[in-house]
Amino acid sequence: IHSREEESFFVLEGEITFQLNDDRVVAAAGTFLNMPVGSLHSFKNESNQPARLLISLAPAGLEEMFFEVGHPLADDADHAPPPTQDDIEKLLAAAPRFGVEIRLPQ
């Protein structure tokens, strides 16, 4: 849940499953979705195929959280490794400073 910005997604390739509050949407390439400020949302590639997204945040600023908790990929990388427990803990600690509430799956 973002308390300050809305987040928009454009599926460029593949298929992504989005959860927006109680609604579940399986979005194929060409789909655009907007998550309003204050909405509970998540997204995941539940297929066995690669997917690519264009993600936009407005207003700007939350990208600083991703710079803080993320890892740069090598130029020749074709995917990101799964997060470690340390990565998850780092994100959970940083999120409140950026106005983000993360609810862990049940």
Side-chain angles (χ1 to χ4, degrees):
I1 300 173
H2 302 250
S3 66
R4 299 181 250 208
E5 56 282 308
E6 63 182 37
E7 189 170 26
S8 298
F9 300 87
F10 184 71
V11 182
L12 297 169
E13 176 184 329
E15 185 177 275
I16 299 290
T17 301
F18 291 88
Q19 189 75 34
L20 175 56
N21 298 313
D22 293 330
D23 297 324
R24 186 173 186 269
V25 176
V26 179
T31 303
F32 176 84
L33 293 105
N34 185 68
M35 309 302 176
V37 174
S39 64
L40 176 61
H41 65 278
S42 64
F43 62 97
K44 182 177 182 180
N45 181 350
E46 295 180 335
S47 76
N48 60 357
Q49 299 296 313
R52 292 185 315 128
L53 295 171
L54 178 62
I55 303 173
S56 172
L57 295 157
L62 187 60
E63 69 278 3
E64 295 300 325
M65 180 183 78
F66 298 114
F67 291 137
E68 180 179 320
V69 302
H71 302 285
L73 294 178
D75 289 341
D76 61 347
D78 61 357
H79 67 280
T84 66
Q85 186 62 38
D86 285 344
D87 293 333
I88 294 168
E89 290 172 11
K90 189 175 179 182
L91 174 61
L92 292 173
R97 292 196 322 270
F98 292 91
V100 175
E101 176 188 348
I102 297 177
R103 295 187 186 172
L104 299 175
Q106 299 298 323

